[in-house]
Amino acid sequence: MKANVGTIDRVLRVIAGLVLLSLVFIGPKTMWGLIGLVPLGTAAIGFCPAYLPFGLNTCGTKKG
């Protein structure tokens, strides 16, 4: 797996993941907040499988 998630993308994923995960503990207290584990996981490993079919890469790796 080659990294395809850049730094800014990772930060946004962590924020979104934490916001979604907070729904389990505060707010409506719904288990749907566990979906926040997905962006947290992709931010932690630096790879998003959903980017592959579209050829997206927000990682700042140099080509060539």
Side-chain angles (χ1 to χ4, degrees):
M1 289 186 306
K2 187 177 179 183
N4 64 358
V5 177
T7 306
I8 295 173
D9 196 0
R10 278 183 159 182
V11 169
L12 293 175
R13 286 171 186 266
V14 167
I15 292 169
L18 291 175
V19 167
L20 288 169
L21 200 56
S22 72
L23 295 176
V24 175
F25 304 105
I26 44 180
K29 296 185 180 173
T30 177
M31 294 310 278
W32 279 103
L34 292 177
I35 201 78
L37 294 174
V38 174
L40 285 175
T42 57
I45 63 173
F47 177 77
C48 180
Y51 278 4
L52 286 178
F54 303 107
L56 294 174
N57 184 356
T58 61
C59 192
T61 58
K62 295 180 182 179
K63 293 183 181 177

